Amino acid sequence: MASVLTKEDRAQMLAKAKAQMADKKPEGNEFKVTVSDQTVTYTQEDMPEKPVLHFQGCKDSTLSISSCSTVVKILIENCTECNIEIPNGAKITTSVVEAWNCTNVKISSEIAIGTLQADISHSLSVSFSEISHLGQLVQAGVQKLDLSFGDRQDLSLTSGVSAIKETICPELSADDKMTQFITRFVDGNLLTEEIIRLANEYPTTAREKAQHDAELQKKEKALHAMAGNLLGSDSKLSDSDQKELKDHLEKVSVEHAAQKQDVPTDDGRAEFKRQLGNEQFKIGEFHQAAVFYTEALNINDKLAPVWANRAMCWLKMANAAKALADADACIALDDKYTKAHFRRGVALVQLDRLVDACKAFRSVLDLDPNNAQAKSSMMLAEKKLAQNGGQ
């Protein structure tokens, strides 16, 4: 039988897990470089494990990483008259490059970059060997920014505050340092748009929000049409089912109205962070996924699935203690959450607490008797326990 937790037990478990919440800093070890009048290529051997490469205060230099190097991200701060080169074969695990407070800096990339963030700089030049390598370029307060592509020279773009003011945002002040703009390919065309942030902190554009609102209206219309057929005079639904359907329609209408009006809700903000975590988890960025799950929990710590998701991140990163704490927090909120019991068992095996691990896997089987993973995991734990003399 699964053990029964008292309210006090659950409160203690939740408090313990909160105390072990993840650091929000991205995973990695800073490798700071400050040079002048040099040409340097940094290899993996030059840098620490999981390096965040930070070029800070560099002047009149050409700086690059070797073609077989992997870094977490590249930061370019307060650099002047520098060339930053990212060669084919190199890897940036977060696919992020950030530059700020720079003057006359050229960034050349032969690999795909998901997000290039440029802030409060003057005369930046960004070149990609292929148009497919540009994910998105986000800028704020950049005085002159040139963007070019080796395989499509006809698509070169001169941007920055002055160009944006002349073309898409005439109300932008010359010294604006806060308003963000995003440049990316949309339907095959290079498009620059102002970024707006919804109440749930989701960054989007007016064009995308209009499309989203239209899609919501379309879905709501279809839902009401379907409900109309089910709730007609010859409806075969019971009174309780009809009431449940009507309540659901009302809930959907309220949610859609809130989204259209951009009404801030904690649930919306937490859900956005959860989705970001899921996206990072899918591509194997487990630490960054844990960061987003942590941000979701900071907004709403009653989300059992998010505790379970973050527990899985810790397991992927071989941090059994944190995984156990998060699984316990999930169970404290929902003691029938099968995945949390299973991840609790896996964490306990890694901590060599085999008796407790077997109990956790038994809890899974109490909830889901046909769970093959729990059966095999419990058999392995029991076998290991027997080898250890039942200890």
Side-chain angles (χ1 to χ4, degrees), residues 329-350:
C330 178
I331 294 168
L333 294 167
D334 183 356
D335 60 1
K336 290 182 173 56
Y337 205 103
T338 308
K339 290 181 180 179
H341 286 286
F342 181 77
R343 290 165 191 173
R344 184 173 193 273
V346 173
L348 288 166
V349 169
Q350 293 181 9

Side-chain angles (χ1 to χ4, degrees), residues 177-196:
K177 297 179 181 179
M178 300 297 294
T179 308
Q180 289 186 310
F181 296 88
I182 183 171
T183 300
R184 58 196 161 169
F185 284 99
V186 177
D187 297 330
N189 299 311
L190 195 58
L191 182 65
T192 298
E193 301 172 280
E194 182 179 349
I195 293 176
I196 61 175

